[in-house]
Each structure stands twice: as C-alpha cells, then as structure tokens.
Amino acid sequence: SGFIYDGGYVCAQGSILEMGEDSLMYSIRKLFRYDLSATSVVSDYNVKISLYPNPTTSTLNIASEENILSIKIIDLSGNVLFTQAYRGSQNEVNIETSELANGTYFANINDKIYKRFVKE
C-alpha cells in the first residue's frame, strides 16, 4: 500500500494476494482517489491484476482481467519514463525493463491503477 500525488488528488492503494487457477499469484487492487479540495472519494476501482516477475531484471509481464489500453512506467519522483498505448483486446503485455536503473517504480495501467514493482 502507499500514497501517490496525482495532479490535485492523493491516491491511496492496497492489495490482497490471491492464487489463481493457473497457480500464479494475483493482486486484487483497490485504489481510492481523494480530491484534495474535498473529503469525498472520487474513484473506487477493484481490478484483478498481476505483475511478474517482481522483482524483475529485464521483462515485466502485466496481466489484467480488464483490457489494457495504456501503460506508463513512473519513477518515485513522479517522472514518466515509458508510455505505451494498446489497441484491441490486450489482457497481457510485456514491458522491457533492462534499460531502467535498479530501484522501485510504479506501473500505471489505463490511467487509473498504480502497481508497484522493483527492478534489480
């Protein structure tokens, strides 16, 4: 879990691990976006998503029960290091991470879900 500042909102996230029928571990991700000028919840997302391997060394696989329309890789300073849009039905994508420095990053999926991963 953690907090991310997202242009006027604070995003709080958490997850529950669950083993799928394919023996892979999946996170059920819940993300709340709080408007800094109000006290109400702006968005509430429940999506089953998996990033593997985590930590990664060269390729990060992202699998989702929803279609993946876009991916952004963001460092801890909030810099967007990678952006990719996808067409059609994509439930799994592979991102090349070998050029990233070792450290912690966030994958932003469909501009609404943030998932943390580590590059070693």
Side-chain angles (χ1 to χ4, degrees), residues 19-26 48:
M19 179 154 314
E21 292 178 7
D22 54 3
S23 298
L24 293 175
M25 292 301 291
Y26 291 93
K48 188 173 181 181

PDB file of all heavy atoms in Angstrom, residues 19-26 48:
ATOM      1  N   MET A  19      -4.214 -16.715  -5.082  1.00  0.00           N
ATOM      2  CA  MET A  19      -3.661 -17.624  -6.065  1.00  0.00           C
ATOM      3  C   MET A  19      -4.737 -17.984  -7.074  1.00  0.00           C
ATOM      4  O   MET A  19      -5.835 -18.398  -6.720  1.00  0.00           O
ATOM      5  CB  MET A  19      -3.120 -18.897  -5.427  1.00  0.00           C
ATOM      6  CG  MET A  19      -2.567 -19.842  -6.471  1.00  0.00           C
ATOM      7  SD  MET A  19      -1.297 -20.996  -5.981  1.00  0.00           S
ATOM      8  CE  MET A  19      -0.144 -20.095  -5.070  1.00  0.00           C
ATOM      9  N   GLY A  20      -4.411 -17.810  -8.372  1.00  0.00           N
ATOM     10  CA  GLY A  20      -5.345 -18.132  -9.432  1.00  0.00           C
ATOM     11  C   GLY A  20      -5.314 -19.615  -9.765  1.00  0.00           C
ATOM     12  O   GLY A  20      -4.457 -20.371  -9.286  1.00  0.00           O
ATOM     13  N   GLU A  21      -6.238 -20.036 -10.618  1.00  0.00           N
ATOM     14  CA  GLU A  21      -6.307 -21.429 -11.039  1.00  0.00           C
ATOM     15  C   GLU A  21      -5.062 -21.851 -11.810  1.00  0.00           C
ATOM     16  O   GLU A  21      -4.736 -23.028 -11.863  1.00  0.00           O
ATOM     17  CB  GLU A  21      -7.546 -21.658 -11.905  1.00  0.00           C
ATOM     18  CG  GLU A  21      -8.831 -21.534 -11.134  1.00  0.00           C
ATOM     19  CD  GLU A  21     -10.044 -21.723 -12.007  1.00  0.00           C
ATOM     20  OE1 GLU A  21      -9.903 -22.074 -13.199  1.00  0.00           O
ATOM     21  OE2 GLU A  21     -11.146 -21.521 -11.491  1.00  0.00           O
ATOM     22  N   ASP A  22      -4.342 -20.879 -12.384  1.00  0.00           N
ATOM     23  CA  ASP A  22      -3.117 -21.163 -13.129  1.00  0.00           C
ATOM     24  C   ASP A  22      -1.881 -21.166 -12.223  1.00  0.00           C
ATOM     25  O   ASP A  22      -0.759 -21.179 -12.704  1.00  0.00           O
ATOM     26  CB  ASP A  22      -2.941 -20.141 -14.242  1.00  0.00           C
ATOM     27  CG  ASP A  22      -3.000 -18.717 -13.724  1.00  0.00           C
ATOM     28  OD1 ASP A  22      -3.125 -18.502 -12.510  1.00  0.00           O
ATOM     29  OD2 ASP A  22      -2.921 -17.816 -14.562  1.00  0.00           O
ATOM     30  N   SER A  23      -2.076 -21.143 -10.916  1.00  0.00           N
ATOM     31  CA  SER A  23      -1.022 -21.168  -9.891  1.00  0.00           C
ATOM     32  C   SER A  23      -0.181 -19.907  -9.840  1.00  0.00           C
ATOM     33  O   SER A  23       0.865 -19.891  -9.214  1.00  0.00           O
ATOM     34  CB  SER A  23      -0.109 -22.397 -10.061  1.00  0.00           C
ATOM     35  OG  SER A  23      -0.867 -23.574  -9.905  1.00  0.00           O
ATOM     36  N   LEU A  24      -0.611 -18.835 -10.496  1.00  0.00           N
ATOM     37  CA  LEU A  24       0.069 -17.549 -10.389  1.00  0.00           C
ATOM     38  C   LEU A  24      -0.588 -16.743  -9.278  1.00  0.00           C
ATOM     39  O   LEU A  24      -1.779 -16.876  -9.027  1.00  0.00           O
ATOM     40  CB  LEU A  24      -0.036 -16.766 -11.705  1.00  0.00           C
ATOM     41  CG  LEU A  24       0.693 -17.353 -12.896  1.00  0.00           C
ATOM     42  CD1 LEU A  24       0.384 -16.540 -14.148  1.00  0.00           C
ATOM     43  CD2 LEU A  24       2.192 -17.385 -12.651  1.00  0.00           C
ATOM     44  N   MET A  25       0.210 -15.922  -8.614  1.00  0.00           N
ATOM     45  CA  MET A  25      -0.333 -15.044  -7.582  1.00  0.00           C
ATOM     46  C   MET A  25      -0.871 -13.783  -8.248  1.00  0.00           C
ATOM     47  O   MET A  25      -0.227 -13.194  -9.102  1.00  0.00           O
ATOM     48  CB  MET A  25       0.753 -14.663  -6.565  1.00  0.00           C
ATOM     49  CG  MET A  25       1.220 -15.818  -5.715  1.00  0.00           C
ATOM     50  SD  MET A  25      -0.095 -16.582  -4.745  1.00  0.00           S
ATOM     51  CE  MET A  25      -0.434 -15.303  -3.573  1.00  0.00           C
ATOM     52  N   TYR A  26      -2.069 -13.379  -7.862  1.00  0.00           N
ATOM     53  CA  TYR A  26      -2.705 -12.181  -8.384  1.00  0.00           C
ATOM     54  C   TYR A  26      -3.014 -11.245  -7.227  1.00  0.00           C
ATOM     55  O   TYR A  26      -3.329 -11.692  -6.142  1.00  0.00           O
ATOM     56  CB  TYR A  26      -4.012 -12.517  -9.106  1.00  0.00           C
ATOM     57  CG  TYR A  26      -3.806 -13.267 -10.382  1.00  0.00           C
ATOM     58  CD1 TYR A  26      -3.836 -14.645 -10.395  1.00  0.00           C
ATOM     59  CD2 TYR A  26      -3.572 -12.593 -11.570  1.00  0.00           C
ATOM     60  CE1 TYR A  26      -3.649 -15.347 -11.569  1.00  0.00           C
ATOM     61  CE2 TYR A  26      -3.375 -13.288 -12.741  1.00  0.00           C
ATOM     62  CZ  TYR A  26      -3.414 -14.674 -12.739  1.00  0.00           C
ATOM     63  OH  TYR A  26      -3.224 -15.354 -13.901  1.00  0.00           O
ATOM     64  N   LYS A  48      -8.510  -7.145 -10.753  1.00  0.00           N
ATOM     65  CA  LYS A  48      -7.569  -8.237 -10.539  1.00  0.00           C
ATOM     66  C   LYS A  48      -6.447  -8.074 -11.549  1.00  0.00           C
ATOM     67  O   LYS A  48      -6.674  -8.101 -12.759  1.00  0.00           O
ATOM     68  CB  LYS A  48      -8.286  -9.575 -10.723  1.00  0.00           C
ATOM     69  CG  LYS A  48      -7.460 -10.764 -10.344  1.00  0.00           C
ATOM     70  CD  LYS A  48      -8.310 -12.023 -10.406  1.00  0.00           C
ATOM     71  CE  LYS A  48      -7.507 -13.235 -10.000  1.00  0.00           C
ATOM     72  NZ  LYS A  48      -8.317 -14.447 -10.090  1.00  0.00           N
TER      73      LYS A  48
END
